[in-house]
Amino acid sequence: MYKNDGFNIDGHIEGVKDSTLITLYDLDQQINLDSAFSINEDFELSGKVEYPTGCWIKCQDEYANIQVENVKMSFTSPIEDMHLKNIITGGKEQELQNKLKNLQQPYDLIYFSAYDSLMNKKYSNDEEKQSLIKKFNESQSTSHEIYINFGKKHSDSYMGLNIIYMNRKSIDRDTLTAIFKNLPTSIKTAPTANALNVFLFEETAIVGNSFIDKLVQLTGKILSYHR
């Protein structure tokens, strides 16, 4: 049953068996927000988020990016290549995610195809291998450029601001400052906005201290590292 004070995700994953575990994973907090078992390829996830939140829907070894808001949402996908073939509706932030996906998808298809060929050695000589590496690098670079530009264009959204913050070290400081100063009041209280504020105006470097930073790959996977 839909909870009108939180989110409800009605889902369908073609090709999964009954009692397959599906989880909703918060990429920022790195915790599961909810989980369910499939019945006739259907599932339902529900809960409440304080702010629109970037998540994964995870099933077996597959995943799909979703922007969760406290609205009714729907998710449909085959289990194979779920990160590319999903259809998600519901919420303004997800509408933005869908627009970004459409812009990136032609390059992501090349990227993942080249990656698969390289990992499984689907080439007959070094020339073919080098051609695959070139396709991989060029498609990844173009997709990432689209990603950054989309974040700049939609920095007045939670999703856009998250893109900006995750890539803050590759964006010039004047641009970051202008973006922060022009944030809508409703977004300036969000944790990502507070973190950007600290980065721009309050962060101090203490020699010898280490900290954990996060990078999000084009696929959405988080990499954490110490510096």
Side-chain angles (χ1 to χ4, degrees):
M1 182 179 296
Y2 173 54
K3 300 177 180 178
N4 59 17
D5 62 338
F7 66 82
N8 262 79
I9 303 170
D10 289 324
H12 179 87
I13 300 177
E14 183 181 347
V16 296
K17 297 179 180 180
D18 283 356
S19 301
T20 299
L21 179 65
I22 295 126
T23 58
L24 181 65
Y25 181 75
D26 184 323
L27 290 170
D28 187 34
Q29 298 186 73
Q30 299 187 40
I31 60 172
N32 289 332
L33 297 181
D34 196 21
S35 62
F37 290 101
S38 60
I39 302 174
N40 296 324
E41 300 183 334
D42 295 332
F43 66 93
E44 182 178 357
L45 299 166
S46 62
K48 190 172 185 178
V49 290
E50 186 174 359
Y51 300 96
T53 303
C55 297
W56 276 350
I57 288 182
K58 297 169 65 177
C59 181
Q60 298 175 352
D61 294 327
E62 297 285 339
Y63 71 92
N65 290 310
I66 182 171
Q67 299 294 319
V68 176
E69 296 180 64
N70 292 322
V71 296
K72 189 172 180 60
M73 306 185 72
S74 68
F75 177 91
T76 304
S77 178
I79 184 60
E80 184 179 1
D81 293 330
M82 203 165 77
H83 58 291
L84 291 174
K85 298 178 180 178
N86 61 80
I87 298 173
I88 309 172
T89 62
K92 293 181 179 179
E93 297 289 320
Q94 184 58 47
E95 287 179 9
L96 288 177
Q97 177 72 60
N98 293 341
K99 288 180 181 178
L100 175 59
K101 178 184 173 184
N102 288 337
L103 292 172
Q104 289 182 295
Q105 193 163 49
Y107 306 98
D108 288 348
L109 288 171
I110 297 171
Y111 167 86
F112 285 111
S113 176
Y115 178 82
D116 178 70
S117 295
L118 287 166
M119 290 299 99
N120 293 288
K121 298 184 178 181
K122 297 177 182 178
Y123 49 83
S124 56
N125 54 52
D126 189 62
E127 185 178 353
E128 287 185 8
K129 180 180 179 181
Q130 293 305 315
S131 177
L132 286 169
I133 291 172
K134 183 179 179 181
K135 286 181 180 180
F136 175 88
N137 289 332
E138 288 180 350
S139 59
Q140 183 185 50
S141 178
T142 302
S143 185
H144 187 65
E145 184 179 353
I146 290 170
Y147 179 72
I148 298 293
N149 289 335
F150 193 89
K152 291 178 180 178
K153 183 177 180 180
H154 299 282
S155 59
D156 58 347
S157 68
Y158 290 92
M159 178 187 158
L161 180 59
N162 188 62
I163 292 172
I164 294 300
Y165 181 73
M166 290 299 178
N167 294 274
R168 63 197 180 280
K169 294 179 182 178
S170 64
I171 300 172
D172 69 85
R173 205 171 189 87
D174 288 343
T175 299
L176 289 175
T177 302
I179 286 171
F180 179 80
K181 289 184 176 178
N182 288 289
L183 288 177
T185 303
S186 58
I187 293 181
K188 276 197 172 180
T189 59
T192 305
N194 291 332
L196 183 58
N197 180 44
V198 170
F199 175 76
L200 287 171
F201 307 115
E202 300 176 25
E203 189 175 71
T204 57
I206 302 174
V207 176
N209 278 7
S210 65
F211 63 94
I212 296 176
D213 202 355
K214 284 189 302 183
L215 294 177
V216 178
Q217 294 178 320
L218 295 180
T219 58
K221 185 176 182 180
I222 290 181
L223 302 176
S224 296
Y225 62 94
H226 289 270
R227 297 205 313 184

